[in-house]
Amino acid sequence: MQLTGNNYLNEPLDICSEFGKLQNNYFLPASIKSFNENSFEGTIAWKRYARKARMAFEQITTPFEDATAWEFPVAYSSVPELPFKIDFVNDRTLRLRISSRDSIPDSKESIMLMDNVKYLNNWSSTKTESGMSFSSKFASISIINEPFNIEIRDENGKLLTKTQNILDTKSLENCNPMPFSFVRSAENLKRHIAASFSLSYDEKIFGCGESFTRLNKRGQKVDLWTVDALGVQSRNMYKPIPFFMSSAGYGMFVHTSAPLTFDFGNTYDQANVIYTGDDCMDLFIFTGTPKEILSNYTLITGRSPMPPLWSFGLWMSRITYKSEEETRTVANKLRERKIPCDVIHLDTGWFEEDWKCDYKFSKSRFNNPEKMISDLNEMGFKISLWQLPYFTPQNKIYKEAIEKGYVVRSFDGSLATEDAVIDFSNEEATNWYKNLLGGLLKIGVAAIKADFGEGAPLHGKYSSGKSGFYEHSLYPLRYNKAVYDITKSITGDGIIWARSAWAGSQRYPIHWGGDAENTDSGMAASLRAGLSLGLCGFSFWSHDIGGFVRKSPEELYRRWMPFGMLTSHSRCHGEPPKEPWEYSEKFEEDFIKVVNLKYKLMPYIMEQAKISSENGYPMLRTLFFEYPQDPVSWLIEDQYFFGSELLVAPIFNENETSRKVYITEGVWVDYQNKKEYAGEKWYTIEAFDIPIILLVRKGAVIPHCKPVMHTGEIDWADIEKTEY
């Protein structure tokens, strides 16, 4: 099903396009016909409308007009009565399900949700003149019978948001804003829902996954569809997540794997419209501060477990180390030059032919991979390997995967694409794939790079019985889980290195930011993306330091390094050279200084990682995540907190050594020169020895360790605590 565009393979879908077609039928909620106060279930009467072309003053518009049923036999009501249900998870979380069909789907086995989600009916109910009201200690929801509406309020009775009915419109066009509705497509009779909510004039929206556009999504239209973004400066996303939070004090998670389009005041400034390809709107609503919202969202979809200690060290990589000799040479030089490092990553060149992933080391270039891995382990290095879940026709695994029925096919029985794409909804296929990885993990490989995963074919038929319309976005989640599970079962370490994701993927860390351009803008977009993903419950995140696409310009690489090292996970990767000794002597000195900074901070990083993991918080945090009461903090997208005690401001402009920095509440101390700054003000701050602004909350106690070459050498009994 292709909704818009040029019909190119894996093009993002714009669901809202179905809501503008004259040939479709539209149904808008008119009133509540029944409601059971014990089960919180009821029915909504949906009035039928059509769009009709109207000409006025030399302009054509297509407003809604009342319509009657015109089907045969006469069995289809003009005002169908369809189910809805409310559940209460806790004092800050409720679940609203509204169906355009005769029943509400059972979601007990959803892989997006945690198995232990419980529902607490501890909200008090009150009958009102207009309907029903439910309230907890921290929130309330009012259901208005006619015209149908839902209002969400905080503990003080302040309206946070409400649904928008056609009778609420104050515009000259009754379709602006788009009212809460569902559409029945004339093309295929599929039904899609538009959940329309109000936006206040100054409201800001954040989240939606690893989005590279402006951090505040107000005014944007966001398509939730995993795609190989081929960079970090477009609307496309490797990791779309159907969750967002508002500066007004609420958040929403759309529990579906169907494609979605979020219109955050893009079409009509007052309206936040969630267009879902699903025929049931399954919406979790959260209230509170950003921390409270995110903590409750991750209570439902899961939190990131702690990755192993070694993963927080430097990962040294490029495209690509191609031989045992080259790998050993890099390892030796890292140690000889006293550069701390924990991981050497082998990308696309460890097979006999580059990119042809057959899960076997090249026999001509790797004499004894098992001994190489063992020797490097003795030196304190872990080995990470690249691979992907697509097999080209020249790959010897291609035929085996097809013959065993482990690949995605089209509904006509042919292959869905040119490549054999593993069907992770097939348990046998997943176990077969895990066995391929298992052979590598058993010889000492520590981590698997789960690259790609965004290309599950839309037109494919999957073992689950569903099409790519529902399986496309689930593919990264299934893929992440498969790699994580086999790695943890064999090595004991829960870790992957993944590019694609969907809601729930945060349970399988770590994810990195894709193929960043080697530009100042690429660096800034990477930070926005990391902050945005963090606001969706991903505690741990990384990116390609210095950019991926071309050789990193030395000046840019130098400024990017401290940003990359003051991130939970740090990898130098991309077009060679990436090794510091391939640049100037001064660059290598600076490189070593900033890597030593991260290793020195490792006790602080592990302390903050544990807190983040336990609460569902990100390691990279927006300023408003820590200071939501500060209105300026909601405007900042080029600074961040690294944990709760360090405020970081990278330098994004070429050949500059200072920048404007907003300091939040309190007093903050420059980590490098100990100068103090009073909070809630702007300053122009000069970077000191390391080209970044790094501030510490005054009074904070930061633990440090002695210099080491890898995390295995840290003496945890000899930690120095420094009060600032």
Side-chain angles (χ1 to χ4, degrees), residues 34-323:
S34 66
F35 188 74
N36 186 317
E37 297 176 25
N38 296 316
S39 64
F40 312 121
E41 297 175 281
T43 57
I44 299 170
W46 296 80
K47 188 176 180 182
R48 186 183 297 231
Y49 288 81
R51 282 188 179 272
K52 186 174 181 180
R54 174 179 181 268
M55 192 279 286
F57 301 103
E58 289 65 59
Q59 181 170 312
I60 301 294
T61 57
T62 57
F64 288 118
E65 181 180 68
D66 290 3
T68 56
W70 196 7
E71 290 111 351
F72 186 82
V74 184
Y76 305 98
S77 171
S78 289
V79 187
E81 296 180 13
L82 302 171
F84 79 102
K85 180 174 174 56
I86 300 173
D87 290 295
F88 302 101
V89 180
N90 57 41
D91 287 342
R92 293 192 180 279
T93 308
L94 62 94
R95 184 181 191 181
L96 174 65
R97 282 176 280 183
I98 298 178
S99 181
S100 65
R101 300 287 185 181
D102 291 330
S103 62
I104 293 174
D106 186 0
S107 61
K108 289 181 179 178
E109 296 183 0
S110 169
I111 64 172
M112 288 175 274
L113 303 180
M114 296 294 287
D115 294 335
N116 59 353
V117 176
K118 295 181 174 60
Y119 297 94
L120 305 173
N121 294 333
N122 60 347
W123 289 47
S124 60
S125 61
T126 305
K127 281 190 175 181
T128 65
E129 290 185 7
S130 58
M132 288 287 296
S133 178
F134 300 89
S135 60
S136 72
K137 183 179 178 181
F138 300 112
S140 67
I141 175 173
S142 298
I143 303 173
I144 291 92
N145 288 340
E146 189 172 358
F148 169 82
N149 261 317
I150 292 175
E151 299 174 347
I152 309 295
R153 288 181 165 81
D154 67 12
E155 64 267 35
N156 299 314
K158 178 185 176 183
L159 181 67
L160 303 179
T161 189
K162 65 182 290 294
T163 56
Q164 299 195 119
N165 191 287
I166 192 171
L167 299 179
D168 296 329
T169 184
K170 303 298 188 293
S171 165
L172 290 173
E173 283 286 290
N174 67 4
C175 54
N176 278 323
M178 170 62 68
F180 208 112
S181 56
F182 75 84
V183 63
R184 189 184 73 183
S185 170
E187 179 184 352
N188 50 32
L189 297 184
K190 282 186 174 290
R191 301 182 184 193
H192 310 302
I193 293 181
S196 183
F197 292 90
S198 64
L199 287 171
S200 59
Y201 79 95
D202 59 347
E203 191 171 341
K204 302 166 187 64
I205 300 291
F206 301 88
C208 301
E210 190 190 54
S211 172
F212 302 111
T213 59
R214 303 263 65 92
L215 191 62
N216 177 11
K217 298 295 176 275
R218 177 66 178 267
Q220 299 183 41
K221 188 166 76 169
V222 182
D223 296 324
L224 281 294
W225 181 260
T226 57
V227 63
D228 183 348
L230 301 172
V232 299
Q233 295 182 77
S234 73
R235 291 176 56 203
N236 291 336
M237 286 185 280
Y238 305 101
K239 308 173 192 63
I241 307 294
F243 168 81
F244 62 86
M245 64 174 66
S246 164
S247 61
Y250 68 91
M252 293 183 176
F253 165 52
V254 189
H255 175 226
T256 184
S257 61
L260 297 129
T261 297
F262 290 165
D263 188 326
F264 297 119
N266 175 273
T267 302
Y268 194 84
D269 184 65
Q270 185 182 322
N272 167 17
V273 187
I274 301 169
Y275 295 94
T276 175
D278 221 334
D279 54 16
C280 180
M281 176 60 68
D282 188 354
L283 188 66
F284 286 86
I285 302 172
F286 314 89
T287 66
T289 65
K291 284 186 176 180
E292 290 163 342
I293 291 167
L294 195 56
S295 186
N296 279 298
Y297 166 68
T298 55
L299 190 68
I300 290 168
T301 58
R303 293 172 179 161
S304 303
M306 277 286 286
L309 169 63
W310 56 261
S311 71
F312 290 85
L314 175 64
W315 296 50
M316 195 68 239
S317 176
R318 62 152 68 172
I319 291 188
T320 173
Y321 301 133
K322 297 184 178 182
S323 68

Side-chain angles (χ1 to χ4, degrees), residues 556-588:
L556 173 66
Y557 199 176
R558 183 176 184 271
R559 286 184 286 110
W560 202 319
M561 269 301 296
F563 162 44
M565 297 310 292
L566 293 172
T567 304
S568 76
H569 289 78
S570 307
R571 185 180 73 158
C572 298
H573 177 69
E575 188 72 18
K578 299 300 290 193
E579 301 77 23
W581 54 84
E582 298 291 348
Y583 292 82
S584 71
E585 186 176 326
K586 178 66 168 63
F587 176 84
E588 184 176 349

Side-chain angles (χ1 to χ4, degrees), residues 286-400:
F286 314 89
T287 66
T289 65
K291 284 186 176 180
E292 290 163 342
I293 291 167
L294 195 56
S295 186
N296 279 298
Y297 166 68
T298 55
L299 190 68
I300 290 168
T301 58
R303 293 172 179 161
S304 303
M306 277 286 286
L309 169 63
W310 56 261
S311 71
F312 290 85
L314 175 64
W315 296 50
M316 195 68 239
S317 176
R318 62 152 68 172
I319 291 188
T320 173
Y321 301 133
K322 297 184 178 182
S323 68
E324 181 173 335
E325 179 184 7
E326 193 172 26
T327 306
R328 287 181 180 275
T329 297
V330 169
N332 289 330
K333 284 189 175 183
L334 286 165
R335 292 293 178 253
E336 290 165 3
R337 293 169 181 266
K338 304 298 182 186
I339 303 172
C341 182
D342 273 79
V343 184
I344 295 178
H345 171 71
L346 307 185
D347 213 64
T348 59
W350 58 279
F351 324 106
E352 202 59 58
E353 291 183 54
D354 282 13
W355 292 90
K356 192 176 290 185
C357 174
D358 60 2
Y359 299 92
K360 296 186 185 301
F361 278 92
S362 165
K363 291 182 179 179
S364 65
R365 289 180 281 113
F366 289 86
N367 300 324
N368 190 336
E370 188 167 359
K371 186 175 189 311
M372 178 193 75
I373 293 168
S374 176
D375 290 346
L376 294 179
N377 282 343
E378 288 293 318
M379 297 172 65
F381 293 108
K382 303 291 184 180
I383 292 295
S384 164
L385 295 180
W386 176 92
Q387 55 82 67
L388 80 171
Y390 319 146
F391 305 124
T392 61
Q394 294 78 28
N395 193 322
K396 60 185 178 184
I397 296 179
Y398 174 88
K399 185 177 181 181
E400 178 187 356

